[in-house]
Amino acid sequence: LAAHDAAFVNGASAHALDFDDGQTRGSVHPGGAVLSAAFAGAEALGADMDAFLASVVAGYDVTLRIASAMHPASASSGWHNTPVSGVFGAAAVGARLRGLDAAQTTHALGLAASFAGGIRQYLHDGAEVKRLHPGKAARDGIVCAGLAAEGITGAIEALEGKHGLFRATVRDRADPSQIT
């Protein structure tokens, strides 16, 4: 499969039984998105183990910081942090594996903000879509890094801007100090 498709399958498989890793502070399953993107991206790009591990560290760091900044407001607003923050982590993975510079990485993360999404309505009607959320995040992060590498720009203030992720999802209830 193409890297983005492999990332989707990896992520959906990782979360199929809902026994994947988790972080309570951010109410997020980071590995489903991050590791799925890293395995697919590293294979497609022929990355070595050092590049793979650096991308995983970057992806976890970004995912956990954004999820922690949004939770618990995101959950009470109906957002599932795994795909919402996981797409940023997956974009960080892709950016690191591709060797993107700071400006390109900023654009990859800005693009990820427009790809972020996933609602928690599955809790109320038993929908199976939850199992797809990490795959969606992994796939979309790989795509965002690829777009940034080709010069497509994303929002610079993607999180904190007037119409950024924090305002759009949790209004003024995010804790941006969790990012830094």
mmCIF file of all heavy atoms in Angstrom, residues 2-56:
data_model
loop_
_atom_site.group_PDB
_atom_site.id
_atom_site.type_symbol
_atom_site.label_atom_id
_atom_site.label_comp_id
_atom_site.label_asym_id
_atom_site.label_seq_id
_atom_site.Cartn_x
_atom_site.Cartn_y
_atom_site.Cartn_z
ATOM 1 N N ALA A 2 0.300 2.338 -0.463
ATOM 2 C CA ALA A 2 0.968 3.631 -0.328
ATOM 3 C C ALA A 2 1.089 3.945 1.160
ATOM 4 O O ALA A 2 0.306 3.441 1.977
ATOM 5 C CB ALA A 2 0.153 4.704 -1.036
ATOM 6 N N ALA A 3 2.058 4.765 1.522
ATOM 7 C CA ALA A 3 2.323 5.046 2.936
ATOM 8 C C ALA A 3 1.079 5.532 3.676
ATOM 9 O O ALA A 3 0.798 5.073 4.788
ATOM 10 C CB ALA A 3 3.445 6.065 3.067
ATOM 11 N N HIS A 4 0.316 6.431 3.070
ATOM 12 C CA HIS A 4 -0.864 6.949 3.781
ATOM 13 C C HIS A 4 -1.925 5.867 3.973
ATOM 14 O O HIS A 4 -2.581 5.815 5.012
ATOM 15 C CB HIS A 4 -1.430 8.201 3.088
ATOM 16 C CG HIS A 4 -1.920 7.968 1.694
ATOM 17 N ND1 HIS A 4 -1.085 7.932 0.611
ATOM 18 C CD2 HIS A 4 -3.164 7.747 1.225
ATOM 19 C CE1 HIS A 4 -1.790 7.707 -0.480
ATOM 20 N NE2 HIS A 4 -3.058 7.583 -0.131
ATOM 21 N N ASP A 5 -2.065 4.980 2.999
ATOM 22 C CA ASP A 5 -3.030 3.889 3.138
ATOM 23 C C ASP A 5 -2.553 2.858 4.171
ATOM 24 O O ASP A 5 -3.342 2.353 4.978
ATOM 25 C CB ASP A 5 -3.271 3.193 1.797
ATOM 26 C CG ASP A 5 -4.037 4.071 0.816
ATOM 27 O OD1 ASP A 5 -4.852 4.906 1.263
ATOM 28 O OD2 ASP A 5 -3.826 3.923 -0.401
ATOM 29 N N ALA A 6 -1.266 2.567 4.160
ATOM 30 C CA ALA A 6 -0.711 1.637 5.158
ATOM 31 C C ALA A 6 -0.868 2.220 6.558
ATOM 32 O O ALA A 6 -1.207 1.498 7.504
ATOM 33 C CB ALA A 6 0.758 1.365 4.857
ATOM 34 N N ALA A 7 -0.651 3.517 6.699
ATOM 35 C CA ALA A 7 -0.822 4.176 8.001
ATOM 36 C C ALA A 7 -2.257 4.044 8.494
ATOM 37 O O ALA A 7 -2.499 3.798 9.682
ATOM 38 C CB ALA A 7 -0.409 5.644 7.913
ATOM 39 N N PHE A 8 -3.215 4.184 7.590
ATOM 40 C CA PHE A 8 -4.626 4.050 7.961
ATOM 41 C C PHE A 8 -4.923 2.637 8.462
ATOM 42 O O PHE A 8 -5.533 2.451 9.518
ATOM 43 C CB PHE A 8 -5.533 4.396 6.776
ATOM 44 C CG PHE A 8 -6.992 4.267 7.088
ATOM 45 C CD1 PHE A 8 -7.663 5.280 7.747
ATOM 46 C CD2 PHE A 8 -7.697 3.120 6.767
ATOM 47 C CE1 PHE A 8 -9.009 5.162 8.063
ATOM 48 C CE2 PHE A 8 -9.042 2.984 7.069
ATOM 49 C CZ PHE A 8 -9.708 4.017 7.728
ATOM 50 N N VAL A 9 -4.489 1.635 7.713
ATOM 51 C CA VAL A 9 -4.725 0.242 8.104
ATOM 52 C C VAL A 9 -4.028 -0.057 9.426
ATOM 53 O O VAL A 9 -4.604 -0.687 10.326
ATOM 54 C CB VAL A 9 -4.270 -0.732 6.989
ATOM 55 C CG1 VAL A 9 -4.315 -2.175 7.467
ATOM 56 C CG2 VAL A 9 -5.130 -0.547 5.746
ATOM 57 N N ASN A 10 -2.782 0.394 9.577
ATOM 58 C CA ASN A 10 -2.048 0.188 10.824
ATOM 59 C C ASN A 10 -2.813 0.778 12.004
ATOM 60 O O ASN A 10 -2.972 0.136 13.045
ATOM 61 C CB ASN A 10 -0.666 0.846 10.765
ATOM 62 C CG ASN A 10 0.285 0.180 9.801
ATOM 63 O OD1 ASN A 10 0.060 -0.914 9.326
ATOM 64 N ND2 ASN A 10 1.373 0.879 9.504
ATOM 65 N N GLY A 11 -3.258 2.020 11.864
ATOM 66 C CA GLY A 11 -3.937 2.710 12.966
ATOM 67 C C GLY A 11 -5.267 2.091 13.327
ATOM 68 O O GLY A 11 -5.598 1.941 14.511
ATOM 69 N N ALA A 12 -6.040 1.717 12.315
ATOM 70 C CA ALA A 12 -7.326 1.072 12.595
ATOM 71 C C ALA A 12 -7.107 -0.280 13.266
ATOM 72 O O ALA A 12 -7.824 -0.644 14.204
ATOM 73 C CB ALA A 12 -8.126 0.919 11.305
ATOM 74 N N SER A 13 -6.096 -1.004 12.824
ATOM 75 C CA SER A 13 -5.784 -2.307 13.431
ATOM 76 C C SER A 13 -5.304 -2.146 14.870
ATOM 77 O O SER A 13 -5.661 -2.927 15.753
ATOM 78 C CB SER A 13 -4.713 -3.031 12.608
ATOM 79 O OG SER A 13 -5.187 -3.284 11.307
ATOM 80 N N ALA A 14 -4.494 -1.133 15.107
ATOM 81 C CA ALA A 14 -3.946 -0.902 16.447
ATOM 82 C C ALA A 14 -5.034 -0.621 17.473
ATOM 83 O O ALA A 14 -4.898 -0.968 18.643
ATOM 84 C CB ALA A 14 -2.963 0.265 16.411
ATOM 85 N N HIS A 15 -6.115 -0.016 17.029
ATOM 86 C CA HIS A 15 -7.176 0.400 17.950
ATOM 87 C C HIS A 15 -8.412 -0.509 17.891
ATOM 88 O O HIS A 15 -9.396 -0.272 18.576
ATOM 89 C CB HIS A 15 -7.571 1.843 17.611
ATOM 90 C CG HIS A 15 -8.246 2.594 18.700
ATOM 91 N ND1 HIS A 15 -7.674 2.830 19.922
ATOM 92 C CD2 HIS A 15 -9.466 3.181 18.736
ATOM 93 C CE1 HIS A 15 -8.504 3.537 20.677
ATOM 94 N NE2 HIS A 15 -9.604 3.758 19.977
ATOM 95 N N ALA A 16 -8.335 -1.565 17.085
ATOM 96 C CA ALA A 16 -9.503 -2.410 16.853
ATOM 97 C C ALA A 16 -10.103 -2.972 18.132
ATOM 98 O O ALA A 16 -11.324 -3.049 18.260
ATOM 99 C CB ALA A 16 -9.155 -3.540 15.893
ATOM 100 N N LEU A 17 -9.269 -3.373 19.082
ATOM 101 C CA LEU A 17 -9.772 -3.935 20.339
ATOM 102 C C LEU A 17 -9.694 -2.937 21.488
ATOM 103 O O LEU A 17 -10.028 -3.273 22.622
ATOM 104 C CB LEU A 17 -8.997 -5.214 20.688
ATOM 105 C CG LEU A 17 -9.143 -6.345 19.680
ATOM 106 C CD1 LEU A 17 -8.266 -7.522 20.079
ATOM 107 C CD2 LEU A 17 -10.595 -6.773 19.541
ATOM 108 N N ASP A 18 -9.230 -1.733 21.204
ATOM 109 C CA ASP A 18 -9.163 -0.652 22.193
ATOM 110 C C ASP A 18 -8.270 -0.998 23.387
ATOM 111 O O ASP A 18 -8.535 -0.610 24.512
ATOM 112 C CB ASP A 18 -10.568 -0.271 22.667
ATOM 113 C CG ASP A 18 -10.687 1.202 23.048
ATOM 114 O OD1 ASP A 18 -9.698 1.943 22.917
ATOM 115 O OD2 ASP A 18 -11.777 1.604 23.475
ATOM 116 N N PHE A 19 -7.203 -1.738 23.127
ATOM 117 C CA PHE A 19 -6.234 -2.083 24.166
ATOM 118 C C PHE A 19 -4.891 -1.395 23.928
ATOM 119 O O PHE A 19 -3.879 -1.788 24.490
ATOM 120 C CB PHE A 19 -6.009 -3.599 24.229
ATOM 121 C CG PHE A 19 -7.160 -4.352 24.812
ATOM 122 C CD1 PHE A 19 -7.767 -5.362 24.094
ATOM 123 C CD2 PHE A 19 -7.650 -4.054 26.076
ATOM 124 C CE1 PHE A 19 -8.842 -6.073 24.619
ATOM 125 C CE2 PHE A 19 -8.716 -4.746 26.611
ATOM 126 C CZ PHE A 19 -9.315 -5.759 25.881
ATOM 127 N N ASP A 20 -4.854 -0.391 23.065
ATOM 128 C CA ASP A 20 -3.599 0.289 22.778
ATOM 129 C C ASP A 20 -3.231 1.246 23.909
ATOM 130 O O ASP A 20 -3.990 1.440 24.849
ATOM 131 C CB ASP A 20 -3.661 1.013 21.429
ATOM 132 C CG ASP A 20 -4.927 1.811 21.201
ATOM 133 O OD1 ASP A 20 -5.967 1.458 21.771
ATOM 134 O OD2 ASP A 20 -4.875 2.794 20.458
ATOM 135 N N ASP A 21 -2.052 1.807 23.829
ATOM 136 C CA ASP A 21 -1.553 2.678 24.894
ATOM 137 C C ASP A 21 -2.468 3.879 25.090
ATOM 138 O O ASP A 21 -3.262 4.221 24.220
ATOM 139 C CB ASP A 21 -0.117 3.118 24.616
ATOM 140 C CG ASP A 21 0.034 4.017 23.391
ATOM 141 O OD1 ASP A 21 -0.905 4.121 22.580
ATOM 142 O OD2 ASP A 21 1.110 4.604 23.227
ATOM 143 N N GLY A 22 -2.341 4.511 26.222
ATOM 144 C CA GLY A 22 -3.164 5.680 26.502
ATOM 145 C C GLY A 22 -2.500 6.591 27.516
ATOM 146 O O GLY A 22 -1.631 6.169 28.275
ATOM 147 N N GLN A 23 -2.906 7.835 27.482
ATOM 148 C CA GLN A 23 -2.445 8.816 28.450
ATOM 149 C C GLN A 23 -3.681 9.497 29.032
ATOM 150 O O GLN A 23 -4.483 10.082 28.306
ATOM 151 C CB GLN A 23 -1.516 9.849 27.798
ATOM 152 C CG GLN A 23 -0.892 10.787 28.813
ATOM 153 C CD GLN A 23 -0.970 12.237 28.392
ATOM 154 O OE1 GLN A 23 -1.870 12.659 27.687
ATOM 155 N NE2 GLN A 23 -0.025 13.020 28.862
ATOM 156 N N THR A 24 -3.823 9.419 30.342
ATOM 157 C CA THR A 24 -5.014 9.941 31.003
ATOM 158 C C THR A 24 -5.095 11.456 30.933
ATOM 159 O O THR A 24 -6.163 12.014 30.669
ATOM 160 C CB THR A 24 -5.051 9.475 32.478
ATOM 161 O OG1 THR A 24 -5.012 8.048 32.485
ATOM 162 C CG2 THR A 24 -6.296 9.956 33.185
ATOM 163 N N ARG A 25 -3.981 12.151 31.175
ATOM 164 C CA ARG A 25 -4.015 13.619 31.217
ATOM 165 C C ARG A 25 -4.604 14.209 29.936
ATOM 166 O O ARG A 25 -5.298 15.206 29.971
ATOM 167 C CB ARG A 25 -2.618 14.185 31.484
ATOM 168 C CG ARG A 25 -2.648 15.692 31.714
ATOM 169 C CD ARG A 25 -1.284 16.254 32.087
ATOM 170 N NE ARG A 25 -0.443 16.299 30.909
ATOM 171 C CZ ARG A 25 0.850 16.010 30.892
ATOM 172 N NH1 ARG A 25 1.461 15.635 31.988
ATOM 173 N NH2 ARG A 25 1.538 16.080 29.780
ATOM 174 N N GLY A 26 -4.316 13.585 28.810
ATOM 175 C CA GLY A 26 -4.848 14.075 27.542
ATOM 176 C C GLY A 26 -5.999 13.250 27.007
ATOM 177 O O GLY A 26 -6.540 13.560 25.962
ATOM 178 N N SER A 27 -6.386 12.201 27.708
ATOM 179 C CA SER A 27 -7.432 11.284 27.258
ATOM 180 C C SER A 27 -7.207 10.913 25.794
ATOM 181 O O SER A 27 -8.042 11.152 24.934
ATOM 182 C CB SER A 27 -8.816 11.902 27.458
ATOM 183 O OG SER A 27 -9.819 10.950 27.157
ATOM 184 N N VAL A 28 -6.049 10.312 25.536
ATOM 185 C CA VAL A 28 -5.626 10.067 24.160
ATOM 186 C C VAL A 28 -4.888 8.722 24.070
ATOM 187 O O VAL A 28 -4.266 8.284 25.027
ATOM 188 C CB VAL A 28 -4.721 11.226 23.662
ATOM 189 C CG1 VAL A 28 -3.437 11.324 24.474
ATOM 190 C CG2 VAL A 28 -4.426 11.137 22.190
ATOM 191 N N HIS A 29 -4.995 8.093 22.903
ATOM 192 C CA HIS A 29 -4.254 6.881 22.562
ATOM 193 C C HIS A 29 -3.211 7.289 21.511
ATOM 194 O O HIS A 29 -3.495 7.219 20.315
ATOM 195 C CB HIS A 29 -5.179 5.814 21.984
ATOM 196 C CG HIS A 29 -6.225 5.331 22.924
ATOM 197 N ND1 HIS A 29 -5.960 4.390 23.898
ATOM 198 C CD2 HIS A 29 -7.529 5.646 23.046
ATOM 199 C CE1 HIS A 29 -7.061 4.139 24.575
ATOM 200 N NE2 HIS A 29 -8.037 4.896 24.084
ATOM 201 N N PRO A 30 -2.024 7.711 21.911
ATOM 202 C CA PRO A 30 -1.067 8.275 20.952
ATOM 203 C C PRO A 30 -0.461 7.263 19.982
ATOM 204 O O PRO A 30 -0.236 7.577 18.813
ATOM 205 C CB PRO A 30 0.017 8.888 21.834
ATOM 206 C CG PRO A 30 -0.069 8.138 23.116
ATOM 207 C CD PRO A 30 -1.519 7.779 23.284
ATOM 208 N N GLY A 31 -0.193 6.051 20.439
ATOM 209 C CA GLY A 31 0.519 5.092 19.606
ATOM 210 C C GLY A 31 -0.202 4.703 18.338
ATOM 211 O O GLY A 31 0.442 4.474 17.308
ATOM 212 N N GLY A 32 -1.520 4.615 18.390
ATOM 213 C CA GLY A 32 -2.282 4.226 17.201
ATOM 214 C C GLY A 32 -2.024 5.141 16.022
ATOM 215 O O GLY A 32 -1.900 4.680 14.889
ATOM 216 N N ALA A 33 -1.909 6.423 16.279
ATOM 217 C CA ALA A 33 -1.623 7.379 15.203
ATOM 218 C C ALA A 33 -0.127 7.495 14.948
ATOM 219 O O ALA A 33 0.333 7.424 13.808
ATOM 220 C CB ALA A 33 -2.212 8.741 15.549
ATOM 221 N N VAL A 34 0.637 7.676 16.017
ATOM 222 C CA VAL A 34 2.068 7.962 15.878
ATOM 223 C C VAL A 34 2.841 6.765 15.328
ATOM 224 O O VAL A 34 3.578 6.887 14.341
ATOM 225 C CB VAL A 34 2.657 8.428 17.227
ATOM 226 C CG1 VAL A 34 4.168 8.522 17.166
ATOM 227 C CG2 VAL A 34 2.040 9.766 17.632
ATOM 228 N N LEU A 35 2.730 5.616 15.973
ATOM 229 C CA LEU A 35 3.484 4.446 15.510
ATOM 230 C C LEU A 35 3.008 3.976 14.139
ATOM 231 O O LEU A 35 3.820 3.549 13.312
ATOM 232 C CB LEU A 35 3.396 3.316 16.526
ATOM 233 C CG LEU A 35 4.163 3.569 17.816
ATOM 234 C CD1 LEU A 35 3.803 2.535 18.876
ATOM 235 C CD2 LEU A 35 5.661 3.574 17.559
ATOM 236 N N SER A 36 1.718 4.096 13.885
ATOM 237 C CA SER A 36 1.188 3.691 12.579
ATOM 238 C C SER A 36 1.755 4.552 11.464
ATOM 239 O O SER A 36 2.123 4.047 10.396
ATOM 240 C CB SER A 36 -0.338 3.759 12.587
ATOM 241 O OG SER A 36 -0.839 2.834 13.536
ATOM 242 N N ALA A 37 1.840 5.844 11.707
ATOM 243 C CA ALA A 37 2.443 6.746 10.719
ATOM 244 C C ALA A 37 3.940 6.478 10.592
ATOM 245 O O ALA A 37 4.498 6.485 9.484
ATOM 246 C CB ALA A 37 2.190 8.194 11.119
ATOM 247 N N ALA A 38 4.602 6.232 11.722
ATOM 248 C CA ALA A 38 6.049 6.020 11.698
ATOM 249 C C ALA A 38 6.429 4.738 10.950
ATOM 250 O O ALA A 38 7.370 4.747 10.143
ATOM 251 C CB ALA A 38 6.605 5.993 13.120
ATOM 252 N N PHE A 39 5.720 3.641 11.213
ATOM 253 C CA PHE A 39 6.025 2.396 10.502
ATOM 254 C C PHE A 39 5.821 2.567 8.998
ATOM 255 O O PHE A 39 6.680 2.189 8.200
ATOM 256 C CB PHE A 39 5.167 1.234 11.020
ATOM 257 C CG PHE A 39 5.601 0.693 12.349
ATOM 258 C CD1 PHE A 39 4.696 0.577 13.382
ATOM 259 C CD2 PHE A 39 6.912 0.294 12.571
ATOM 260 C CE1 PHE A 39 5.080 0.076 14.623
ATOM 261 C CE2 PHE A 39 7.315 -0.211 13.798
ATOM 262 C CZ PHE A 39 6.394 -0.321 14.833
ATOM 263 N N ALA A 40 4.690 3.138 8.611
ATOM 264 C CA ALA A 40 4.385 3.296 7.186
ATOM 265 C C ALA A 40 5.328 4.297 6.524
ATOM 266 O O ALA A 40 5.842 4.042 5.429
ATOM 267 C CB ALA A 40 2.932 3.735 7.021
ATOM 268 N N GLY A 41 5.548 5.423 7.191
ATOM 269 C CA GLY A 41 6.414 6.445 6.608
ATOM 270 C C GLY A 41 7.863 6.003 6.510
ATOM 271 O O GLY A 41 8.537 6.242 5.489
ATOM 272 N N ALA A 42 8.361 5.362 7.550
ATOM 273 C CA ALA A 42 9.758 4.902 7.537
ATOM 274 C C ALA A 42 9.991 3.864 6.450
ATOM 275 O O ALA A 42 11.014 3.885 5.766
ATOM 276 C CB ALA A 42 10.132 4.346 8.908
ATOM 277 N N GLU A 43 9.025 2.966 6.303
ATOM 278 C CA GLU A 43 9.170 1.953 5.256
ATOM 279 C C GLU A 43 9.182 2.601 3.875
ATOM 280 O O GLU A 43 10.042 2.304 3.039
ATOM 281 C CB GLU A 43 8.046 0.920 5.346
ATOM 282 C CG GLU A 43 8.169 -0.159 4.284
ATOM 283 C CD GLU A 43 7.066 -1.199 4.351
ATOM 284 O OE1 GLU A 43 6.037 -0.970 5.002
ATOM 285 O OE2 GLU A 43 7.252 -2.256 3.714
ATOM 286 N N ALA A 44 8.245 3.511 3.644
ATOM 287 C CA ALA A 44 8.133 4.144 2.323
ATOM 288 C C ALA A 44 9.365 4.978 1.981
ATOM 289 O O ALA A 44 9.777 5.032 0.815
ATOM 290 C CB ALA A 44 6.879 5.019 2.268
ATOM 291 N N LEU A 45 9.951 5.609 2.986
ATOM 292 C CA LEU A 45 11.093 6.496 2.748
ATOM 293 C C LEU A 45 12.440 5.802 2.943
ATOM 294 O O LEU A 45 13.485 6.419 2.745
ATOM 295 C CB LEU A 45 10.996 7.714 3.674
ATOM 296 C CG LEU A 45 9.784 8.614 3.435
ATOM 297 C CD1 LEU A 45 9.638 9.631 4.562
ATOM 298 C CD2 LEU A 45 9.910 9.319 2.084
ATOM 299 N N GLY A 46 12.416 4.540 3.366
ATOM 300 C CA GLY A 46 13.667 3.821 3.596
ATOM 301 C C GLY A 46 14.471 4.403 4.753
ATOM 302 O O GLY A 46 15.703 4.392 4.736
ATOM 303 N N ALA A 47 13.774 4.876 5.767
ATOM 304 C CA ALA A 47 14.434 5.510 6.912
ATOM 305 C C ALA A 47 15.157 4.484 7.763
ATOM 306 O O ALA A 47 14.733 3.333 7.871
ATOM 307 C CB ALA A 47 13.396 6.251 7.761
ATOM 308 N N ASP A 48 16.252 4.914 8.396
ATOM 309 C CA ASP A 48 16.968 4.025 9.306
ATOM 310 C C ASP A 48 16.336 4.084 10.697
ATOM 311 O O ASP A 48 15.409 4.861 10.942
ATOM 312 C CB ASP A 48 18.461 4.352 9.343
ATOM 313 C CG ASP A 48 18.781 5.734 9.890
ATOM 314 O OD1 ASP A 48 17.943 6.363 10.586
ATOM 315 O OD2 ASP A 48 19.906 6.206 9.627
ATOM 316 N N MET A 49 16.843 3.261 11.604
ATOM 317 C CA MET A 49 16.259 3.152 12.939
ATOM 318 C C MET A 49 16.354 4.467 13.713
ATOM 319 O O MET A 49 15.422 4.829 14.430
ATOM 320 C CB MET A 49 16.922 2.021 13.733
ATOM 321 C CG MET A 49 16.283 1.783 15.097
ATOM 322 S SD MET A 49 14.499 1.394 15.041
ATOM 323 C CE MET A 49 14.524 -0.251 14.384
ATOM 324 N N ASP A 50 17.449 5.187 13.573
ATOM 325 C CA ASP A 50 17.581 6.467 14.277
ATOM 326 C C ASP A 50 16.500 7.451 13.824
ATOM 327 O O ASP A 50 15.885 8.129 14.646
ATOM 328 C CB ASP A 50 18.964 7.085 14.061
ATOM 329 C CG ASP A 50 20.057 6.351 14.821
ATOM 330 O OD1 ASP A 50 19.742 5.583 15.759
ATOM 331 O OD2 ASP A 50 21.240 6.560 14.471
ATOM 332 N N ALA A 51 16.259 7.533 12.523
ATOM 333 C CA ALA A 51 15.226 8.433 12.000
ATOM 334 C C ALA A 51 13.843 7.977 12.464
ATOM 335 O O ALA A 51 13.000 8.803 12.828
ATOM 336 C CB ALA A 51 15.297 8.488 10.476
ATOM 337 N N PHE A 52 13.622 6.668 12.434
ATOM 338 C CA PHE A 52 12.342 6.126 12.901
ATOM 339 C C PHE A 52 12.090 6.513 14.356
ATOM 340 O O PHE A 52 11.036 7.041 14.697
ATOM 341 C CB PHE A 52 12.333 4.595 12.745
ATOM 342 C CG PHE A 52 11.156 3.926 13.390
ATOM 343 C CD1 PHE A 52 9.924 3.895 12.761
ATOM 344 C CD2 PHE A 52 11.277 3.327 14.643
ATOM 345 C CE1 PHE A 52 8.825 3.283 13.363
ATOM 346 C CE2 PHE A 52 10.197 2.708 15.251
ATOM 347 C CZ PHE A 52 8.962 2.688 14.611
ATOM 348 N N LEU A 53 13.083 6.262 15.222
ATOM 349 C CA LEU A 53 12.904 6.551 16.653
ATOM 350 C C LEU A 53 12.729 8.050 16.907
ATOM 351 O O LEU A 53 11.893 8.444 17.723
ATOM 352 C CB LEU A 53 14.078 6.000 17.455
ATOM 353 C CG LEU A 53 14.144 4.475 17.533
ATOM 354 C CD1 LEU A 53 15.440 4.035 18.212
ATOM 355 C CD2 LEU A 53 12.935 3.902 18.226
ATOM 356 N N ALA A 54 13.485 8.879 16.223
ATOM 357 C CA ALA A 54 13.343 10.333 16.394
ATOM 358 C C ALA A 54 11.951 10.787 15.972
ATOM 359 O O ALA A 54 11.344 11.660 16.615
ATOM 360 C CB ALA A 54 14.414 11.065 15.593
ATOM 361 N N SER A 55 11.419 10.188 14.922
ATOM 362 C CA SER A 55 10.075 10.563 14.473
ATOM 363 C C SER A 55 9.020 10.134 15.482
ATOM 364 O O SER A 55 8.053 10.864 15.730
ATOM 365 C CB SER A 55 9.771 9.984 13.085
ATOM 366 O OG SER A 55 9.467 8.603 13.128
ATOM 367 N N VAL A 56 9.206 8.972 16.092
ATOM 368 C CA VAL A 56 8.257 8.490 17.103
ATOM 369 C C VAL A 56 8.275 9.413 18.326
ATOM 370 O O VAL A 56 7.219 9.796 18.843
ATOM 371 C CB VAL A 56 8.559 7.031 17.504
ATOM 372 C CG1 VAL A 56 7.769 6.609 18.735
ATOM 373 C CG2 VAL A 56 8.260 6.092 16.335
#
